[in-house]
Structures are given as structure tokens and as C-alpha cells.
């Protein structure tokens, strides 16, 4: 709730006639409530800060202390389940430790299959396959590399060597015609300088 400035339209409510716990604005007209007070009608009443809360830097609203959550006009203690820790960034006020995930208000252990490792993520199964393996029905199976292929940088798939292109589950050689060369990608070709593409061949310009 931001501090609200009220400008009077009558001499009876001139800026120099202020209610208790109010002050004129910096601009010199109208008035606003002091820190720790809020306007109700034409009065400034003290903000009721509940137990386990504090008045924030704005001075016109309160927040719960760490380890507490706002429930209507009160702050209730966060109940942190086993294998969890306080985390104000989550709506529940707590977050499961690595290797565990939330299920019906509790933190249950993530079952990590062979050739996998746990990951700190609120989405997905909570684990990823190790490099060189891929997920298949809650398991991690080896990635089968065809001839003339290598593991990708991520290690979760494969790519063809330079000079080969992917066709289905295989890497086939790129057929480079005369007067042509492999392009930057390594899986296609382009005509040399002084030649242009004509059909599937490179001919003189």
C-alpha cells in the first residue's frame, strides 16, 4: 500500500491543518500519513503489525519474518517437513533438499536409476541420464553410435562426423561433385569459386 497524498479543495482542509500523525507532502500541498500509519477516512491510524512481523521499508505495510507466512492478518510459522529447508521464494515457504521432491506436503526421495544422476529441478523426474545414455521408460540405456558418428556436446544424442550427413539412424557420406567442396556445416557442399550450381553439378560461370 503506497503512501497516498490528499489535496484539499477547501480552505477548511488547508495543508496546514493536519490530522494527528500526518505531515504535508514535500511538494507543499496536501498531506500524507507518517511512517507506520495508514489513512482511514480523514485520520491516520497506526498500522497493526502482528506478532512475528515487521514494518517494511516503505513504512505503510508489514511483512512476516523469515520462517513465517501471511495468513489473513497474522503470520503463521512455516512447518518444514523432513528433508526440506526454509525458502521464502516458494509459496509454501520451504523447499525439498536435493535428491528429494514434494509430494502431498512431504519430501520423498527421488529414485535415481542406474547410469543417471539427480538434478535440482521442480519439473521432470528429478534426474537425468549420464553422458552417453538416454532415457527410456524410467531407465537410462546406452546411446548406440552408428559408424562415422560421435556423441553431441550434451552427451544425450549423436552427430555425424564431418563429411557425413544423418539419414535415419545412420551417417552416410556426403557425395561432393567435381569443382565443389564441403560447406561450413560439414554435411552439405557448395560450388567452388568460378563455378555455379546447375542441377546436381558445378559448372563454369
Amino acid at each position: 500500500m503506497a503512501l497516498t497524498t490528499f489535496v484539499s479543495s477547501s480552505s477548511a482542509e488547508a495543508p496546514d491543518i493536519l490530522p494527528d500523525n500526518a505531515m504535508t507532502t514535500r511538494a507543499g500541498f496536501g498531506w500524507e500519513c507518517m511512517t507506520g500509519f495508514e489513512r482511514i477516512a480523514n485520520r491516520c491510524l497506526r498500522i497493526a503489525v502482528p506478532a512475528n512481523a515487521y514494518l517494511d521499508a516503505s513504512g505503510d505495510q508489514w511483512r512476516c519474518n523469515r520462517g513465517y507466512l501471511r495468513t489473513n492478518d497474522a503470520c503463521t510459522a512455516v512447518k518444514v517437513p523432513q528433508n526440506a529447508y526454509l525458502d521464502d521464494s516458494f509459496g509454501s515457504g520451504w523447499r525439498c533438499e536435493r535428491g528429494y521432491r514434494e509430494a502431498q506436503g512431504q519430501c520423498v526421495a527421488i529414485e535415481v536409476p542406474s547410469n543417471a544422476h539427480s538434478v535440482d529441478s521442480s519439473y521432470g523426474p528429478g534426474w537425468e541420464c549420464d553422458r552417453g545414455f538416454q532415457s527410456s521408460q524410467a531407465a537410462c540405456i546406452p546411446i548406440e553410435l552408428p559408424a562415422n558418428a560421435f556423441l553431441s556436446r550434451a552427451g544425450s544424442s549423436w552427430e555425424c562426423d564431418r563429411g557425413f550427413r544423418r539419414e535415419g539412424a545412420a551417417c552416410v557420406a556426403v557425395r561432393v561433385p567435381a569443382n565443389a567442396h564441403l560447406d561450413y556445416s560439414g554435411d552439405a557442399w557448395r560450388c567452388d569459386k568460378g563455378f555455379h550450381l546447375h542441377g546436381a553439378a558445378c559448372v563454369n560461370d
Side-chain angles (χ1 to χ4, degrees):
M1 183 193 312
L3 291 175
T4 306
T5 300
F6 297 87
V7 181
S8 173
S9 59
S10 67
S11 59
E13 296 182 346
D16 60 333
I17 302 177
L18 302 176
D20 292 339
N21 306 308
M23 59 184 179
T24 57
T25 64
R26 291 182 180 180
F29 58 88
W31 58 270
E32 60 190 12
C33 293
M34 294 180 178
T35 298
F37 295 83
E38 61 181 338
R39 181 183 175 107
I40 297 179
N42 289 319
R43 302 167 61 195
C44 288
L45 301 182
R46 185 176 296 278
I47 296 172
V49 180
N52 303 306
Y54 62 95
L55 199 65
D56 70 4
S58 69
D60 59 3
Q61 60 182 336
W62 56 266
R63 299 181 186 276
C64 293
N65 295 335
R66 177 175 171 78
Y68 292 83
L69 288 177
R70 183 164 184 163
T71 305
N72 298 322
D73 293 325
C75 292
T76 56
V78 175
K79 296 181 179 180
V80 182
Q82 189 174 3
N83 302 310
Y85 59 92
L86 285 173
D87 190 335
D88 294 337
S89 64
F90 273 56
S92 61
W94 56 267
R95 189 173 183 178
C96 291
E97 296 175 354
R98 186 178 179 88
Y100 294 83
R101 68 184 325 162
E102 190 276 333
Q104 297 181 347
Q106 300 296 320
C107 290
V108 296
I110 296 172
E111 296 183 6
V112 181
S114 300
N115 304 308
H117 56 274
S118 62
V119 292
D120 189 15
S121 174
S122 302
Y123 305 96
W127 53 265
E128 292 179 354
C129 292
D130 296 337
R131 180 176 175 80
F133 294 83
Q134 60 185 354
S135 177
S136 176
Q137 297 181 352
C140 290
I141 60 176
I143 296 173
E144 296 183 3
L145 296 179
N148 305 304
F150 62 94
L151 278 175
S152 65
R153 179 174 297 181
S156 57
S157 61
W158 54 267
E159 299 175 8
C160 293
D161 294 336
R162 182 172 175 81
F164 293 83
R165 57 186 174 82
R166 185 165 185 163
E167 283 192 5
C171 290
V172 298
V174 177
R175 295 183 179 180
V176 183
N179 306 311
H181 59 276
L182 284 172
D183 66 8
Y184 179 79
S185 67
D187 60 0
W189 55 267
R190 61 187 304 176
C191 293
D192 295 337
K193 289 183 178 180
F195 295 85
H196 67 272
L197 183 65
H198 182 73
C202 292
V203 299
N204 287 320
D205 289 342

